[in-house]
């Protein structure tokens, strides 16, 4: 029962629906729109999404409290918290192996902490529920209370979880350490950059943060992962994003949304996500909804091997590469005007082979990493810089760039020179944009460092794709949109909830 219950907590990550609500609301599909769109990471080719009114607002900042994708994500994160609360409350009384029992509770605490982090990052303060019989009229707690709960959950998980989980692909001690670092960097940078201060909204205030203490804590936990975890940067970079190489990828991937056949189809709806446009039945392509910005492409030097994480369309059924007996169709070259520019990270193999393995033809089985060691290196660099060690921070950027250049020292020196910025944080954020393209961190990074409006205003006004309106994105973004609106159906059913500022 305990093992089944903790499986149910993980199930929320990419469940097709929960109690009949949502359509892959979290990492199977929906949350990618909330985390990636509306900044300079990925955008939409609106030619293909004009009939999807609930999706387009995230690209052009016209979302409202009535948007169903917002509610599905909010609801699903709370469903995960509810399931975790049952594990935390009920499993300790089960007569079973004591060590494994403690680990199961620790996993649930980690998951609850992570769900609360995402609620805080997207909405700020929200109702704080830690029991199995919640008060459905709970008011919003402050963002301080939410993040302190997440911190306590991560620390508890860190103290009880093993170096590797007995169940492959699930969280462990160092996953908790990595998310503690995420939490501390978020708190410190929000306070340092006066995030949300102009909104005068006390629930989402960061006045309580001790900036230097938070940076020191981030340094402590990233150093621990770097020194002791055994995770590493795998080679080549592309192997992080293929089902054919997922075993190797787990040497770097520290928090996975696992996908595959069986069960109730806990897969990802890859056809709706960031990948090369193409016929999903013939070339395992996507609908081409989520596409890189011009600025994303221009962020890469030609010597940087990660530029291959972008490509043209998938149109050939005869040009392919075999990797560990998986057939991947090769994409077209990128056109000079970038009109066919696509993300080329997560790839699915031949559709017929996937169907034979039990995966729906429009679905994918490639694991998605929420946290990986490459991100740890960049967080470690940020923490070292913010605590006075710029030279050490730059040495960590070099480790990431060496992998990007297939360990070619000459190319690494070339891109290091090309990417250099006197302001280290600007250089670091550019590097995070290259390394973590479409992985769900760019919007959060730009908000916490107070740069989202500046970055949006710097976007090229010329259209990337027909109908793609950069001017509209700039005009629609306002300071208050660093937070999403609390869903209207929750406001309607809980009169103690108050809306985020300036949403009607």
């Amino acid at each position: 029962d305990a093992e089944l219950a903790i499986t149910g907590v993980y199930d929320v990550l990419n469940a097709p629906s929960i109690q009949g609500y949502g359509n892959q609301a979290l990492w199977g599909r929906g949350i990618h729109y909330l985390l990636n769109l509306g900044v300079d990471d990925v955008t939409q080719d609106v030619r293909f999404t004009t009939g999807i009114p609930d999706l387009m607002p995230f690209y052009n900042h016209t979302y409202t409290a009535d948007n169903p994708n917002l509610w599905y994500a909010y609801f699903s994160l709370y469903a995960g918290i509810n399931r975790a609360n049952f594990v935390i409350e009920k499993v300790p009384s089960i007569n079973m192996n004591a060590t494994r029992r403690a680990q199961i509770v620790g996993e649930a605490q980690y998951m609850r902490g992570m769900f609360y982090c995402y609620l805080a990052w997207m909405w700020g303060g929200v109702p704080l529920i830690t029991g199995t019989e919640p008060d459905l009229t709970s008011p919003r707690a402050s963002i301080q209370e939410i993040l302190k709960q997440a911190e306590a959950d991560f620390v508890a998980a860190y103290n009880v979880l093993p170096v590797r989980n007995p169940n492959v692909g699930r969280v462990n001690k160092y996953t908790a350490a990595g998310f503690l670092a995420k939490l501390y960097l978020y708190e410190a940078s929000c306070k340092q950059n006066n995030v949300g201060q102009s909104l005068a909204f006390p629930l989402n205030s960061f006045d309580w943060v001790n900036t230097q203490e938070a940076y020191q804590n981030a340094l402590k936990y990233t150093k621990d992962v770097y020194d002791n975890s055994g995770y590493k940067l795998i080679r080549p970079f592309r192997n992080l994003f293929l089902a054919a190489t997922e075993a190797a990828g787990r040497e770097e991937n520290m928090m996975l949304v696992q996908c595959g056949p069986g069960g109730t189809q806990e897969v990802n709806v890859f056809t709706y996500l960031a990948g090369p446009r193409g016929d999903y039945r013939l070339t395992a392509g996507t609908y081409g909804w989520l596409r890189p910005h011009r600025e994303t492409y221009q962020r890469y030097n030609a010597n940087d091997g990660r530029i291959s994480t972008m490509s043209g369309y998938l149109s050939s059924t005869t040009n392919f590469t075999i990797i560990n007996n998986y057939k991947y169709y090769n994409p077209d070259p990128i056109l000079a005007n970038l009109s066919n520019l696509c993300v080329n990270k997560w790839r699915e193999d031949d559709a017929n082979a996937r169907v034979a393995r039990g995966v729906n033809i429009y679905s994918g089985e490639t694991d998605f990493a929420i946290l990986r060691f490459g991100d740890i290196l960049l967080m470690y660099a940020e923490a070292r810089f913010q605590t006075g060690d710029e030279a050490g921070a730059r040495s960590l950027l070099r480790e990431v760039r060496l992998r990007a250049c297939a360990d070619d020292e000459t190319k690494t020196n070339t891109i290091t020179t090309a990417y250099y910025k006197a302001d280290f944080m600007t250089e670091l954020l550019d590097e995070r944009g290259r390394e973590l393209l479409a992985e769900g961190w760019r919007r959060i990074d730009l908000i916490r460092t107070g740069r989202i409006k500046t970055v949006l205003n710097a976007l090229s006004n010329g259209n990337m794709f027909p109908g793609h309106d950069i001017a509209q994105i700039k005009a629609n973004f306002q300071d208050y949109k660093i937070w999403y609106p609390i869903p209207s159906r929750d406001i309607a059913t809980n009169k103690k909830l108050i809306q985020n500022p300036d949403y009607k």
Side-chain angles (χ1 to χ4, degrees), residues 122-125 140 201 204 483-486 498-503:
M122 290 189 282
W123 284 279
R140 294 175 67 179
F201 189 63
N204 291 350
W483 311 113
Y484 283 125
I486 300 293
I498 59 173
Q499 186 56 276
N500 276 327
D502 294 328
Y503 286 104

Side-chain angles (χ1 to χ4, degrees), residues 381-402:
E382 182 175 351
R384 289 179 76 165
F385 171 75
Q386 295 290 359
T387 54
D389 182 11
E390 183 172 344
R394 290 189 177 278
S395 71
L396 291 163
L397 293 190
R398 185 171 183 83
E399 289 188 41
V400 174
R401 290 166 178 169
L402 269 169

Side-chain angles (χ1 to χ4, degrees), residues 194-467:
N194 301 314
V195 171
Q197 196 170 67
S198 65
L199 302 176
F201 189 63
L203 273 178
N204 291 350
S205 168
F206 293 94
D207 288 346
W208 51 277
V209 176
N210 182 324
T211 304
Q212 284 309 306
E213 181 181 316
Y215 278 132
Q216 287 289 346
N217 283 332
L219 180 68
K220 168 188 169 182
Y221 284 105
T222 49
K223 185 178 188 301
D224 184 22
V225 177
Y226 183 84
D227 289 344
N228 303 312
S229 71
Y231 285 105
K232 64 181 183 180
L233 298 178
I234 71 161
R235 273 105 168 135
F237 184 67
R238 72 174 184 183
N239 284 3
L240 287 165
F241 311 104
L242 304 175
T245 54
E246 66 181 23
R250 286 173 180 170
E251 296 184 65
E252 177 171 344
N253 292 331
M254 300 170 62
M255 168 64 201
L256 287 169
V257 180
Q258 297 187 86
C259 301
T264 55
Q265 284 294 320
E266 272 66 27
V267 292
N268 63 71
V269 190
F270 86 95
T271 47
Y272 294 177
L273 300 179
R277 178 171 168 78
D279 190 326
Y280 67 88
R281 295 158 296 186
L282 299 176
T283 61
T286 75
Y287 292 127
W289 287 2
L290 305 188
R291 311 276 292 279
H293 272 282
R294 178 185 292 104
E295 279 74 10
T296 306
Y297 181 75
Q298 293 172 339
R299 200 176 287 138
Y300 294 81
N301 181 275
N303 290 283
D304 187 335
R306 293 170 301 187
I307 201 169
S308 66
T309 58
M310 287 168 288
S311 73
Y313 293 164
L314 284 169
S315 60
S316 172
T317 57
T318 57
N319 185 7
F320 56 84
T321 300
I322 302 293
I323 303 173
N324 294 341
N325 296 318
Y326 285 64
K327 179 191 286 188
Y328 291 93
Y329 293 99
N330 297 331
D332 301 335
I334 298 168
L335 297 175
N337 65 0
L338 306 185
S339 61
N340 69 340
L341 186 66
C342 296
V343 176
N344 185 37
K345 261 186 172 176
W346 302 273
R347 293 289 307 282
E348 296 298 335
D349 71 320
D350 179 74
N352 292 327
R354 269 183 291 114
V355 170
R357 292 194 296 271
V359 178
N360 291 336
I361 195 168
Y362 56 83
S363 298
E365 61 179 344
T366 300
D367 293 343
F368 180 86
I370 293 176
L371 179 69
R372 56 185 180 86
F373 188 68
D375 192 357
I376 295 291
L377 286 179
L378 296 173
M379 289 194 290
Y380 190 17
E382 182 175 351
R384 289 179 76 165
F385 171 75
Q386 295 290 359
T387 54
D389 182 11
E390 183 172 344
R394 290 189 177 278
S395 71
L396 291 163
L397 293 190
R398 185 171 183 83
E399 289 188 41
V400 174
R401 290 166 178 169
L402 269 169
R403 192 259 297 272
C405 295
D407 298 300
D408 185 312
E409 294 278 356
T410 301
K411 288 184 177 180
T412 303
N413 292 339
T414 298
I415 70 169
T416 297
T417 300
Y419 294 160
Y420 176 80
K421 298 285 194 306
D423 175 39
F424 178 79
M425 280 303 298
T426 299
E427 183 174 343
L428 175 73
L429 286 171
D430 282 350
E431 195 62 33
R432 288 184 63 80
R434 295 181 197 102
E435 178 73 14
L436 303 171
L437 167 64
E439 293 184 41
W441 296 113
R442 185 67 173 170
R443 183 178 187 272
I444 295 169
D445 282 343
L446 292 179
I447 289 172
R448 70 180 177 86
T449 56
R451 299 175 185 230
I452 185 169
K453 195 167 189 177
T454 301
V455 165
L456 287 176
N457 285 335
L459 290 174
S460 305
N461 275 321
N463 292 345
M464 270 288 295
F465 314 112

Side-chain angles (χ1 to χ4, degrees), residues 91-98 101:
V91 166
S93 64
I94 293 179
N95 182 17
M96 61 179 292
N97 178 277
R101 181 173 60 206

